[in-house]
Amino acid sequence: MKNKTPLLNRIYIAIMLLFLYFPIIYTVVFSFNSTRSLSMFGGFSLKWYQKMLKDSSMVNAIFYTILVAVIATAVSTIAGTITAIGLSGSRKVLRGVINQVNNLPILNPDIVTGIGLLMFFSTLAIKKGLATLLLAHIMFCIPYVILSIMPKIRTLPPNLADAAMDLGATPVQALLKVIVPQIMPGIISGALISFTMSFDDFVISYFVTGNGVNNISIVVYSMSKRVNPSINALSTVIIVIITVGLLMANILPIIKEKRRKTK
Amino acid sequence: MKSFKSMVYPYIIWSTILIIIPMLMIAGYAFTVKGNSVLTFRFTLDNFKSFFVDSVFINVLKRSLYIAVITTILCILLGYPAAYIIANLAREKNKVMMVLFITFPTWINMLVRTYAWLGILQDNGLINTILQTVGLPALKLIHTDFAVILGMVYNFIPFMILQIYTSLTKMDKSYLEAAQDLGASKLQSFLRITLPLSLPGIISGITLVFLPAVSSFFIPKLLGGGQYVLIGNVIENEFLIAGNWNFGSAISLIMAITIIFFMWLTKKADRDPSGEGGV
């Protein structure tokens, strides 16, 4: 309709972006501050990064966050894909029930999911730690994987697998060589969502973990009572990891597309 | 795909154990006496009674709802113009870029982004230092309602913008052309066409903002301070410090029911014909 965006609109969007990005930029800048101050930049220094690396709880948190995110993503992507393919062949009633059940962790406030799992693990006398953290993360990631795969499966011709098997493929071959490649975009976006959900989770992890196994969010939460600029350094590490990850996820498909076109 | 339907069975067992049973346990503990094991189930409503009898808890619930409602309203008022401007950008490429820019911060850990505000809002933080250098009096920002609401709006507004943007782009532009042909002013066509048609986006935006705002407990703890208590903090406290699962479960149920009630109210308002009725 319009060719030019009015100046006022540009200013509004600029202010909105400033609001959204200012705290992130502030964190990154002050992680390189040479003083403790949170308001005066005293000069460039890496001392908060050194402090962070010497702090075993922070280093462990980075390790556990990445470990849990990788395992939870791998397991929930595979389990979610298997379930989604199975669901496409099951009766409508069952599909409806599973969707409703999957909605529980998605729609429930995280704190409710967290306390439910806390009571469940404690009642069974399962020691809270890495195992419970992993179980919880896989639990809340699978529904997102299923959600992102189901629409892709629905677009497939219903007899695709049968056709492959009529032509001599074993069921496993039909799955891996015919179905899975067709729904790959859904699987990838499901894996991406799982990874960030797991990587960023605080509330559920906070209730189900224990025994010194903490992720980055929990460490930030428990250290935030006092001014501690190493948290800015830790935050910057997270910001860099997520930024690089998202850039790769967004740029790689474009590069692939370009290569395919030039070939 | 019928041949693969047995592949769903493991997940039925998994989701029963890890999703359904924990939820049932919340209900189970909420309605039983403290100290009872699962086997000696004794029904009681005392957990709910002690919540409603004690004005402290009622006030906390009221305050949580107040903060969440203000947050939601601010997200709509501030987010709508942003979504509208982006949806009306001339080039498709710019729209995609802007949406990416708006959503990008949500991928970064909420706790990390909330912690950043602590340094900005503190008594000797960035804003007050700037104010004092210019010669203005310092403001009390941290540990106030303002700080908590700011933190929530900051965390949740991208979800609102995204939902409204989606509903605006789905809108059939020919309605607007028809309205203009029929002599409607810009304001009229916005109020009578664009706004009602974007209502579904606002409603799903409300779900995505109001729900986490009511139950949030780390935003009030970080930006409101240790004395600042919302319903999420009470639940955290009952489970991790007081160790009273029964009462904590009852509060969670009350919170969940309150949220469902508010969502039902919103949906009802959406269907109400006086609200110009969505299509």
Side-chain angles (χ1 to χ4, degrees):
Chain A
M1 281 195 300
K2 284 165 261 165
N3 284 324
K4 278 238 169 96
T5 313
L7 184 68
L8 214 61
N9 292 3
R10 284 167 191 265
I11 294 172
Y12 190 83
I13 292 291
I15 293 173
M16 182 59 78
L17 289 178
L18 187 70
F19 173 60
L20 292 175
Y21 283 87
F22 183 70
I24 299 169
I25 296 165
Y26 168 83
T27 304
V28 175
V29 170
F30 277 81
S31 72
F32 295 109
N33 197 0
S34 62
T35 66
R36 278 194 89 79
S37 172
L38 291 171
S39 51
M40 289 292 201
F41 196 75
F44 182 86
S45 131
L46 287 173
K47 74 174 189 195
W48 300 116
Y49 288 87
Q50 285 168 336
K51 281 238 165 79
M52 174 189 81
L53 291 175
K54 277 196 198 121
D55 186 330
S56 64
S57 65
M58 284 193 174
V59 177
N60 281 341
I62 298 175
F63 168 73
Y64 280 125
T65 304
I66 296 173
L67 179 78
V68 170
V70 168
I71 298 178
T73 304
V75 175
S76 51
T77 304
I78 294 168
T81 306
I82 291 172
T83 310
I85 294 172
L87 270 182
S88 68
S90 49
R91 272 176 298 143
K92 220 177 175 178
V93 188
L94 181 64
R95 231 176 347 199
V97 171
I98 296 273
N99 280 337
Q100 288 302 318
V101 172
N102 278 347
N103 269 337
L104 281 173
I106 293 176
L107 296 179
N108 256 331
D110 281 351
I111 194 168
V112 175
T113 310
I115 59 161
L117 287 171
L118 165 85
M119 292 193 287
F120 175 72
F121 291 136
S122 301
T123 304
L124 290 180
I126 301 174
K127 219 170 168 199
K128 289 198 289 174
L130 187 59
T132 51
L133 194 60
L134 274 172
L135 282 174
H137 279 228
I138 295 166
M139 182 280 263
F140 70 69
C141 285
I142 293 178
Y144 290 98
V145 177
I146 296 177
L147 266 185
S148 58
I149 294 177
M150 282 312 276
K152 288 269 170 261
I153 294 185
R154 243 173 261 141
T155 61
L156 295 183
N159 300 325
L160 191 63
D162 296 330
M165 284 185 276
D166 283 346
L167 293 169
T170 63
V172 176
Q173 280 175 327
L175 262 186
L176 294 180
K177 298 209 161 163
V178 180
I179 309 275
V180 169
Q182 293 283 328
I183 57 172
M184 211 46 172
I187 298 176
I188 290 172
S189 71
L192 205 67
I193 296 170
S194 294
F195 189 85
T196 47
M197 292 296 279
S198 167
F199 196 89
D200 288 347
D201 180 67
F202 165 64
V203 179
I204 296 173
S205 309
Y206 179 61
F207 283 100
V208 301
T209 194
N211 218 3
V213 178
N214 289 326
N215 66 12
I216 295 170
S217 306
I218 297 172
V219 166
V220 173
Y221 182 70
S222 57
M223 284 186 174
S224 61
K225 277 141 209 157
R226 282 178 296 115
V227 172
N228 182 355
S230 326
I231 297 179
N232 284 335
L234 184 66
S235 301
T236 305
V237 171
I238 301 169
I239 293 168
V240 169
I241 293 176
I242 293 283
T243 311
V244 170
L246 281 183
L247 279 179
M248 297 234 286
N250 280 301
I251 289 174
L252 281 183
I254 300 174
I255 296 173
K256 252 188 194 166
E257 190 66 19
K258 277 208 175 128
R259 272 208 196 135
R260 220 173 44 137
K261 272 185 189 159
T262 50
K263 256 181 196 172
Chain B
M1 308 271 249
K2 282 233 161 32
S3 37
F4 299 120
K5 70 173 181 216
S6 59
M7 280 164 55
V8 76
Y9 298 149
Y11 189 69
I12 296 177
I13 299 165
W14 165 275
S15 59
T16 309
I17 295 173
L18 278 166
I19 300 178
I20 297 175
I21 292 180
M23 288 300 120
L24 290 177
M25 284 183 75
I26 295 179
Y29 272 97
F31 289 104
T32 49
V33 184
K34 192 183 178 202
N36 264 3
S37 77
V38 194
L39 301 170
T40 53
F41 191 86
R42 250 179 59 210
F43 181 83
T44 179
L45 287 172
D46 285 354
N47 299 316
F48 294 92
K49 223 199 286 172
S50 43
F51 183 91
F52 288 108
V53 165
D54 198 334
S55 63
V56 172
F57 294 117
I58 297 287
N59 286 336
V60 168
L61 182 63
K62 272 190 204 154
R63 177 143 73 155
S64 306
L65 291 173
Y66 165 76
I67 297 283
V69 168
I70 300 280
T71 301
T72 312
I73 292 172
L74 281 174
C75 283
I76 298 173
L77 291 181
L78 299 173
Y80 201 102
Y84 186 81
I85 294 168
I86 297 172
N88 283 305
L89 285 177
R91 284 200 289 168
E92 198 60 34
K93 212 168 132 192
N94 291 348
K95 286 187 204 176
V96 177
M97 276 295 271
M98 289 316 297
V99 169
L100 260 176
F101 276 131
I102 296 282
T103 42
F104 175 72
T106 64
W107 293 77
I108 296 169
N109 203 304
M110 265 191 195
L111 222 79
V112 161
R113 286 181 297 133
T114 309
Y115 176 76
W117 282 104
L118 203 64
I120 298 170
L121 299 175
Q122 251 171 11
D123 291 340
N124 54 356
L126 194 65
I127 292 181
N128 277 324
T129 309
I130 293 171
L131 284 178
Q132 277 162 335
T133 352
V134 202
L136 290 167
L139 293 172
K140 180 70 192 158
L141 298 168
I142 197 77
H143 300 181
T144 60
D145 281 352
F146 169 78
V148 176
I149 293 172
L150 176 81
M152 291 199 183
V153 170
Y154 174 73
N155 273 302
F156 306 137
I157 202 170
F159 304 124
M160 181 65 82
I161 296 178
L162 213 65
Q163 294 301 320
I164 297 174
Y165 167 82
T166 312
S167 68
L168 283 175
T169 46
K170 272 189 200 148
M171 200 177 82
D172 189 346
K173 289 275 193 303
S174 57
Y175 286 126
L176 288 177
E177 284 156 22
Q180 250 162 14
D181 290 346
L182 294 169
S185 70
K186 271 197 167 160
L187 183 69
Q188 276 177 324
S189 58
F190 174 77
L191 287 178
R192 310 202 63 160
I193 297 168
T194 312
L195 192 60
L197 283 175
S198 59
L199 219 52
I202 299 177
I203 302 288
S204 47
I206 291 175
T207 319
L208 291 177
V209 172
F210 183 78
L211 204 139
V214 174
S215 63
S216 167
F217 73 94
F218 64 84
I219 297 175
K221 192 99 161 228
L222 284 181
L223 301 177
Q227 303 303 310
Y228 200 97
V229 177
L230 294 186
I231 197 83
N233 304 95
V234 177
I235 298 173
E236 178 202 3
N237 193 59
E238 287 304 324
F239 275 92
L240 296 179
I241 296 161
N244 191 343
W245 289 6
N246 304 78
F247 190 46
S249 298
I251 301 173
S252 314
L253 269 188
I254 292 167
M255 183 182 77
I257 290 164
T258 315
I259 290 173
I260 293 167
F261 173 71
F262 265 73
M263 291 336 297
W264 174 78
L265 268 187
T266 321
K267 288 242 167 72
K268 209 179 153 228
D270 181 31
R271 271 190 226 115
D272 204 1
S274 62
E276 299 279 319
V279 173

